[in-house]
Amino acid sequence: MQAVTLDIIWATIIGTVMIFVLTSSIILFVYLSRKKLLALHKQQLEELKKSEQKFRNLFEHSIVGMVRSSYDGEKIFDANESFLAMYGVENLEEAKQFFIYVHQKYFERVFKKLISNGTIENIELEVLRKDGTPFWISFSARIYPNEGFIESVILDITATKNMEEDLRTAQKMEGVATLASGIAHDFNNFLGIIRGYASLSMLHIDDAEKLQKNLLAIENTVERGSVLVKQLLTFAQKASKKVEPINVNRIMNDVVKMIRETFPRTITGAAEFSDDDPHILGDVTQMYQALLNLCINAKDAMVNNGVITMRSQQCRYQELQQRFPNAYEHNYVCISVSDTGSGISEETKKKIFDPFFTTKEKGKGTGLGLAVVYGIVNNFGGFVDVQSEIGKGTTFYLYFPYYELIQKPQEIITLPKVRPVHKNGKETIFFVEDEELMRDVVIKYLTESGYNVLTASDGIEGVQYYSEHFKEIALVVSDMGLPRMEGGRMFEKMKQINPDIKFIFASGYLEPKLKSDLIEKGAKDFIDKPYQLENINEKIRAVLDD
């Protein structure tokens, strides 16, 4: 009995010691493990801190603008120094307010695409600095859903865009040179028609019916020449960079008219228009250039004769995505330009949009035409495709995002050309024009309309005469291109004499920017040249009665 009790005591002691040792070992293990874990965690925190600092340095000192914003783009969480400098703002708080203002018109288009796809790359946008200066950026962004922000990378590409514009302008002059011989031929015809009907008018001076028909033929011929000049000036002007809704069918119709007037008569121009009258968003001048470049290319591919056909139609993005994966918009407008020429080989098709690549003989082309077309369509957010077979002609397809007009443009009502003179004038008009015969025609018409007309033949004479007689002059009508002092400068001088001056400019063409500047300075209206006499009377009456 005593032995059994002793065994139990020893067993209890040994068990207790083992439990103590085991517990101590566990405690020691946990302690050491925790210490090791704490050390490891500390090391990881330090490495994370270093990594974050490294990223922060990269973010802050990057040469490109970087910004983190909310999903709708309306809140900025962070932005680097390059971004601030790019937009001309001093700090993050100022950037938060300004970023919304300059990008607001792009939010729906850009951020909608970003939310849908998770990322966008190299979207080109024209935005404003704080001082109002426009500049171009390349915009790329990615969504980080776990962190709840969008990270955007912004690169200033203004210099590159300016170089592209210079390239387009140089290539545009190549197109103007191509049209020049056709224009010279047509204007010789116009002058021959005018001279012929003028001679017939002298023979039929006593026959009122024949005389009127002759004069109408002269007026119609002048109108044809005027339309051709306006189309050429619209094409040749320096791009206004004005983004606006473009009526596709109307642009196509203008280009077809131009090639019918200027291309050899062995080349036939035709157009097939979409019934829904589609619109796209872009720059009208660049659109003219792209289509005319394709037509000139088609003309050169047809040696003796042929047909150039332009077509417009709508298509869905599903039809494009297999060929163009970045076709995100629901509807597109397709413009095709087809020719019956020699066609393009598969090997050549791979290079045709490369700058300076040409299959023409040396001195016959710069190889910029199709490269410029590609750049213009890409700037419009569109795509270019080509189908061709040797001996079976070529078709270029231009795809543009469809633009939904909020309101259809009102129908233009054409007034009859021949209207009797209304003797409703009594005021004194000062008419400044350097072309003597043109000046005499307008003076006679305005006098017939009841006005008292004073005249000058150049800008300096105009300012001198106005300073002496401005109290009796109700309105000044002046050509823009005057000798000795151009019309705009003369207007400024006259305005110093009389701040309340009423002034109408006349010109064959005014760039949109110059026109808006003259309006801001106080110009009341503009008259197109060549003059339509009844139009002069209407403009004068409207300004005087205002």
Side-chain angles (χ1 to χ4, degrees), residues 97-344:
Q97 298 175 5
F98 188 68
F99 184 73
I100 309 309
Y101 168 70
V102 297
H103 291 85
Q104 195 161 17
K105 63 179 179 178
Y106 300 117
F107 280 163
E108 184 176 354
R109 177 163 67 94
V110 175
F111 283 90
K112 182 179 177 182
K113 189 182 294 185
L114 176 59
I115 298 298
S116 174
N117 297 281
T119 180
I120 53 174
E121 294 182 2
N122 303 322
I123 303 293
E124 294 184 356
L125 308 171
E126 187 178 30
V127 295
L128 299 174
R129 304 187 202 278
K130 181 185 174 182
D131 61 5
T133 306
F135 72 108
W136 281 90
I137 63 171
S138 176
F139 185 86
S140 300
R142 179 182 296 276
I143 290 178
Y144 290 87
N146 294 334
E147 288 82 0
F149 63 78
I150 294 171
E151 187 168 85
S152 306
V153 176
I154 301 170
L155 180 65
D156 188 339
I157 57 169
T158 306
T160 303
K161 296 295 288 186
N162 288 341
M163 289 176 64
E164 287 179 4
E165 184 57 42
D166 291 342
L167 186 67
R168 263 198 296 270
T169 302
Q171 192 279 326
K172 193 185 296 180
M173 293 305 102
E174 181 185 347
V176 171
T178 303
L179 299 175
S181 59
I183 291 169
H185 175 270
D186 278 335
F187 268 93
N188 280 331
N189 285 343
F190 294 158
L191 292 173
I193 292 168
I194 292 169
R195 175 177 282 178
Y197 276 105
S199 298
L200 287 174
S201 298
M202 287 184 234
L203 292 175
H204 302 146
I205 196 74
D206 296 323
D207 189 329
E209 184 177 349
K210 288 183 179 179
L211 183 61
Q212 186 179 33
K213 288 182 179 178
N214 293 339
L215 294 176
L216 280 173
I218 290 173
E219 186 173 10
N220 288 333
T221 303
V222 171
E223 182 64 22
R224 283 179 62 196
S226 173
V227 169
L228 184 58
V229 167
K230 285 177 182 176
Q231 287 177 340
L232 187 64
L233 286 171
T234 299
F235 169 66
Q237 67 167 307
K238 188 173 180 181
S240 60
K241 296 181 181 177
K242 182 181 179 182
V243 177
E244 59 187 337
I246 298 174
N247 185 313
V248 170
N249 289 349
R250 188 175 299 168
I251 291 284
M252 287 170 53
N253 190 51
D254 287 347
V255 173
V256 169
K257 283 182 180 178
M258 189 180 291
I259 65 177
R260 285 173 180 167
E261 294 281 2
T262 60
F263 281 16
R265 296 298 181 260
T266 55
I267 303 294
T268 303
E272 298 176 11
F273 302 117
S274 174
D275 294 334
D276 58 350
D277 203 25
H279 286 69
I280 62 176
L281 201 61
D283 183 280
V284 173
T285 306
Q286 292 184 10
M287 192 65 192
Y288 272 118
Q289 185 173 7
L291 295 182
L292 199 53
N293 281 4
L294 291 178
C295 291
I296 290 171
N297 217 57
K299 174 184 76 73
D300 293 341
M302 298 183 289
V303 180
N304 297 317
N305 54 62
V307 179
I308 300 173
T309 305
M310 302 179 69
R311 298 179 177 89
S312 62
Q313 65 182 60
Q314 269 200 72
C315 60
R316 302 282 291 175
Y317 74 96
Q318 293 93 332
E319 302 170 35
L320 294 182
Q321 280 200 331
Q322 188 173 356
R323 181 77 175 86
F324 304 104
N326 290 328
Y328 302 116
E329 305 294 336
H330 285 289
N331 290 318
Y332 284 82
V333 178
C334 175
I335 302 174
S336 62
V337 180
S338 303
D339 65 62
T340 56
S342 55
I344 305 171

Side-chain angles (χ1 to χ4, degrees), residues 401-467:
Y402 181 89
Y403 181 77
E404 189 74 40
L405 279 180
I406 298 175
Q407 182 178 359
K408 291 285 185 183
Q410 294 183 350
E411 183 180 354
I412 298 174
I413 300 174
T414 304
L415 298 174
K417 287 187 175 182
V418 181
R419 295 192 297 276
V421 173
H422 296 289
K423 295 189 176 183
N424 54 359
K426 58 183 183 297
E427 298 88 348
T428 297
I429 307 297
F430 185 31
F431 182 58
V432 188
E433 168 65 61
D434 62 304
E435 180 59 52
E436 184 178 358
L437 292 177
M438 182 64 70
R439 189 168 65 245
D440 290 345
V441 168
V442 175
I443 290 171
K444 288 175 183 176
Y445 183 80
L446 292 179
T447 302
E448 286 283 326
S449 298
Y451 296 103
N452 177 40
V453 185
L454 306 175
T455 66
S457 57
D458 64 61
I460 291 180
E461 181 186 355
V463 173
Q464 291 173 344
Y465 197 90
Y466 186 78
S467 65

Side-chain angles (χ1 to χ4, degrees), residues 368-396:
L368 296 175
L370 292 179
V372 167
V373 170
Y374 185 87
I376 289 172
V377 176
N378 185 64
N379 283 345
F380 282 22
F383 310 95
V384 185
D385 204 1
V386 58
Q387 291 182 2
S388 183
E389 290 184 46
I390 296 296
K392 295 186 178 181
T394 302
T395 301
F396 284 90

